[in-house]
Amino acid sequence: MSAESASVLDRVVSAERRELWQRSWKRFTSRPMSVVGLGIIVAIVLLAVFAPVVAPYPEHAGKFTDFSNTLQPPSLDHPLGTDHVGRDVLSRILFGYRLSLMLVAVVLGFGVPVGVLLGLVAGYYGGWTETIIMRATDTALALPPLVMALAITSALEPTLTNAMIAIAALWWTWHARLVQSIVASERSEEYVQAAKLAGASTPHILFREILPNTLSPILVKVTLDAGFVILIGAGLSFIGVGVQPPQPGLGTMVSQGTSYLPDSWWVSVFSGLAIFVLVMGFNMLGDGLRDLFDVEVNR
Amino acid sequence: MTDVSEPLLDVDDLEKYFPVKSGIIKRTSDYVKAVDGVSFDIDRGETLALIGESGSGKSTVARTIIGLTGATGGTVRFDGEDITNATDEQLARLRSRVQMVFQDPTSSLNPRRTIGKSLAVPLKARGVPTSDLRERVVELLERVELNDEYWNKYPHELSGGQKQRVNIARALAVEPELLLLDEPTSALDVSVQAKIIALLEDLQEEFGLTYLFITHDLSLVRNFADETAVMYLGEIQERGPTEEVFQRPRHPYSRALLSAIPVTTDEEEAYKPRHEPLRGEIPSPRDVPTGCRFHTRCPYATDACSADEPQFVAVDAGPSVRCHIYDEAYADTFDDVPEVAVAAVADERVASNTNEP
Amino acid sequence: MKLDEPVAENPLLTVEDLEVGFESFDGLAEVIDGVNLSIGKGEVVTIAGETGCGKSVTMKSILRLLNQPPARVNGEITFDGTELLSLSDREFERVKGQRMSLVFQDPMSSLNPTFTIGEQLTDTAQFGGDSDTGVVEFFRRRFSGERDEARERVLEMLREVQMPDPENIMDSYPTQLSGGMRQRALIAQALLNEPDLLIADEIGTALDVTIHDQILDLLKDLIENHDLSVLMITHNLGVARQVSDRVYVMYGGRIVETAPTEELFENPKHPYTQGLIASIPRLTGDEMATGIDGSIPEYLDPPPGCRFAPRCPYATAECEEARPEMYERGPQTGVECVLYDEAVPASERPTVEETRSHMTRRPGKQTGGD
């Protein structure tokens, strides 16, 4: 085949591939919920990333006090009001999102690869390997992440870092389970046996053949997980073992605002709503992806 | 290379039992005798058809030969080398000489990988440099009458027949000598099936391939296979030259199989043996009947059939059959036998014709 | 478009001008494009065709098994004088439950794994075709002597379908039965309401050859004894030949040919029918065609004229422009191919042998699609 015909071919093929993406996008966008979810996530991530630029009072994110301006109701200057030391609630929420998203990134960034790897190995080899990995997983699964985080943070030091370590140390289990169950059924699929017969190495079979077939459920799970992790983080912060003041943790803010309820409702309500919107966004996106991939898989 | 007269594949008394585990501690309580003493051989460039219904163990035979599952007993020799329960090193060598095409064209291709990537796997494993991969894959595609457009397609963009062509191409990538075809056309429509069969015939001619063709469809075998073996519940019941098995099916099971095929012409209808519908169901391979395994469904069965296991012996120096009807010692116990049995004894011509040259 | 296609005398079921489209992201897929068929009283009719020809969709539109949308069903379906498509769901359920029965292809998925065969079949015998039994009425019938009578009827039916050991089978769950036994149970269930019309979708296809053979024999006996009218759906022409009185050959969402079974197999007319018959491997070892080149039409953008034209060795420009008429129309015959126009001399019409030779591959020829 000449180089010329190859490049023509590539163009045709890439056009087709584009079409495939367009179709998936079209199907995805046909569900308003998932589009709204995606919109929420994108908007919040952008706001969090550019918080120092977009926040009206970036300096309010840290140790800042303005006692002349405490507990002001929502106004043009402070759209979501101010807290008990006069800090702008909107600015603190935007910086609070940074911490929440960081928690998600660290927990899932550690938990998912570890879980997927263990799941792949357990599911593919079966036998004793599977028994050992999966019994370890079951044991870890029996510990609720929130309780584990409480234990670790109270034993060491109540910081966000420790909370992250605690949650991440347990989060892989879910992914190990999920991937193991998929791989256990995939490994007897004829395409795996065909690859084996073709002389493919075990790493090739695990990572190139089987892994791509587990990605859709993993992606769906990761998206739904993000919501859970945020909730757990907020819960820890709320009871005071997560994000420590003056850092702007969303849970911490809800907790601090409760002292001024019901008169100065805006601190708790708006930071609570902020958590709600973010978690809701991840859940809607996750549901949308799940429907999308279900269709894809059944095609 | 070894002696030309030696068969390329020689399977002798092959056994494959799957343990049935029960109870909390997973004790082996029983065995499923999927393959129970199967013997056959295939000469280079020839085709042997292995026919059977579900549960006959025909697919297990192929999977045991190629090492996807271990054998419980017996030997498999490939080109003179004992490859029963082969070592990894043996398997690696073996798999560049023996390949397999699976039944389901869809599930044997990875849905997330392009055709090009799937076909590159065996080439890479053989050390083809990355720069040559594309050219070699296109060559393979052309060999199965597809073109380079398929390089970047995903399996779901292909029809069943096209997928099966890709599977055949992948098996051919290592330039094998023996191809195990496990029901390669049973998931396809007839007009497509005919094309795949024609392709397989061409490839056999072009590359001198040897085929073990596994199927439940007897009519496919007639023109395709040199030898035919009919399996029932883990045992070969009849084995012989395809011509013979079709024209004078001896074993009652072969006769029933042939007579059960819904055909489309009157000539075929006339060609079929007398219609003898079988009784009952296929027994579970976990619980095989005593004596002749077929006696529970055989229209000719007598008490002797449930008591004594028939030997697998050549009848008139032609096909071998596992049936008491063809055993002198039991001749008196049957009051009704297939015409072939009568003819075989009476007609010397039949015997001389079936003598292999 | 209204096509005049052969209609059986005294028909039990007629389908006229059936059109079924499916809405999808890429537009409307016109899967069934003007299908006409009829089943006479006591007639056994087969729709034969390969995967994707529209035979199952036709069957499902008759039984209202398609979800609308995405499906769009147009046309007229008349069952014993009643127009079915205009009936309300409830009225239709009544007609269907009392006078039609369906035997599905997959015996496992059409039986409920959590109830015994006896429970399921007795329920059918008691409540079949009566989807709006009130609660009180339900309990009255369920716990009265009627239940025992129904059970007796089920047992009798199981014996009639030659179920081995029917008393025991009554108390077995579907998973404990073999494929052949499940198929028998389904046939028994279908006959419990004494239907006039039996619709059999690929009956026994999933079974082994020898079991399939038993089921077909049984079906033939039952058709005779119960004086059933049958619509069979199959991809296996051999089965069509063995069981049916008349065959409709379907391709690309249209009926391309129909004839009494014997005639169809002795003298197939449409190039597709010929190609299909020529592609079936022969027990006698005669040469078979090497398949039909090309693939089934893309329903989103079907060929404008004859849908078989792109694969037909005899296609002309005319074929690609307009849909051919149904020619050689007799009371029970018809072929939708321009070669059978009266203006075409008989000598130009292809025989199976000719088609076989057209469809037998010459070495080295490139064929892309299957």
Side-chain angles (χ1 to χ4, degrees), chain A residues 44 182 260 279-280:
Chain A
I44 290 181
I182 302 171
Y260 308 98
V279 173
M280 184 79 177

Side-chain angles (χ1 to χ4, degrees), chain B residues 54 145 266 269 278 281, chain C residues 178 208 210 214 241 361 367:
Chain B
S54 57
E145 294 157 4
D266 289 337
E269 208 74 72
L278 296 181
E281 306 279 331
Chain C
S178 71
D208 282 310
T210 53
Q214 296 171 348
R241 179 172 176 277
R361 188 202 359 208
T367 53

Side-chain angles (χ1 to χ4, degrees), chain A residues 77-161:
Chain A
D77 279 349
H78 300 284
L80 304 182
T82 62
D83 68 5
H84 61 290
V85 291
R87 293 176 296 200
D88 180 46
V89 172
L90 174 63
S91 301
R92 287 183 64 75
I93 285 178
L94 294 185
F95 279 92
Y97 273 147
R98 292 189 128 194
L99 291 176
S100 289
L101 292 174
M102 195 175 79
L103 175 72
V104 168
V106 170
V107 168
L108 297 182
F110 171 79
V112 175
V114 171
V116 167
L117 188 69
L118 287 173
L120 272 177
V121 171
Y124 185 70
Y125 286 104
W128 280 108
T129 321
E130 182 183 69
T131 310
I132 292 168
I133 295 179
M134 293 327 287
R135 287 306 83 81
T137 309
D138 288 344
T139 313
L141 268 175
L143 299 169
L146 192 66
V147 175
M148 176 77 166
L150 267 177
I152 288 194
T153 47
S154 49
L156 300 170
E157 209 185 330
T159 63
L160 181 64
T161 320

Side-chain angles (χ1 to χ4, degrees), chain C residues 126 137-147:
Chain C
Q126 269 195 299
E137 175 67 9
F138 171 80
F139 280 102
R140 192 189 66 74
R141 284 203 226 163
R142 178 67 181 74
F143 297 102
S144 69
E146 279 181 41
R147 185 73 178 176

Side-chain angles (χ1 to χ4, degrees), chain A residues 139-186:
Chain A
T139 313
L141 268 175
L143 299 169
L146 192 66
V147 175
M148 176 77 166
L150 267 177
I152 288 194
T153 47
S154 49
L156 300 170
E157 209 185 330
T159 63
L160 181 64
T161 320
N162 284 341
M164 279 199 253
I165 293 171
I167 305 173
L170 288 180
W171 212 266
W172 59 270
T173 52
W174 297 100
H175 288 268
R177 274 239 147 247
L178 175 73
V179 172
Q180 184 264 340
S181 67
I182 302 171
V183 175
S185 71
E186 292 284 320

